[in-house]
Amino acid sequence: MKILVINGPNLNMLGIREPEIYGRATYSDLVELISAEAERLGIDVSFFQSNHEGAIVDAIQGAYGTADGIVINPAAYTHTSVALLDAVKAVGIPTVEVHISDPDLRDEFRKISYIRQACVATVKGKGFDGYLEALRILKNLK
């Protein structure tokens, strides 16, 4: 099984960005944690992070025919991007939406998720462990 993990804008700044919300662990720490769980589950995992919406759309489209699942944390694009929603719908790859914090407990505008309607599940508010849960969700679909 091959899973693509996509992280959106500002997630490259984990450890620095709002540590009271996201903690002190870095993006590299996140990649290591996911990689270890993927190995344990027998999943081939690859990673993509970008601050650019179009690049994320390209990554989703590039997963067509090569990935069995997508784990995506669209970050701020969750609340603004119909393009990401359309890309996930277009490729038809089972996708799990992940958020480190729980957006529903934050600003009012963060309660809106455009991408959610194209996802098989959403995991939110579980920190980095949410990504591990997302891997298991996709693994159990097969």
Side-chain angles (χ1 to χ4, degrees):
M1 177 172 217
K2 295 181 180 182
I3 293 179
L4 173 62
V5 178
I6 299 173
N7 281 288
N10 298 308
L11 289 166
N12 58 310
M13 299 299 287
L14 287 170
I16 299 168
R17 177 187 177 213
E18 299 178 276
E20 67 281 4
I21 296 172
Y22 300 104
R24 296 254 178 230
T26 66
Y27 182 74
S28 293
D29 296 332
L30 175 61
V31 168
E32 286 179 31
L33 181 72
I34 295 169
S35 296
E37 180 70 3
E39 184 175 336
R40 190 185 74 70
L41 294 171
I43 294 171
D44 180 15
V45 67
S46 58
F47 298 90
F48 180 81
Q49 188 281 322
S50 181
N51 297 318
H52 305 282
E53 183 179 23
I56 297 169
V57 169
D58 290 342
I60 293 167
Q61 291 178 359
Y64 182 76
T66 64
D68 301 304
I70 296 172
V71 172
I72 187 167
N73 183 340
Y77 292 134
T78 303
H79 323 293
T80 64
S81 181
V82 174
L84 295 185
L85 165 66
D86 288 348
V88 171
K89 288 167 96 174
V91 297
I93 300 169
T95 300
V96 177
E97 173 189 19
V98 173
H99 298 284
I100 295 168
S101 68
D102 184 344
D104 293 338
L105 302 177
R106 297 179 61 199
D107 310 284
E108 190 65 27
F109 72 88
R110 293 185 195 274
K111 294 179 182 178
I112 297 166
S113 171
Y114 286 100
I115 201 167
R116 187 163 298 154
Q117 66 182 281
C119 294
V120 297
T122 298
V123 181
K124 55 188 177 178
K126 297 185 177 184
F128 285 9
D129 287 343
Y131 289 85
L132 309 184
E133 184 175 332
L135 289 178
R136 291 188 293 272
I137 290 167
L138 290 171
K139 174 84 174 177
N140 289 332
L141 287 179
K142 291 290 174 183

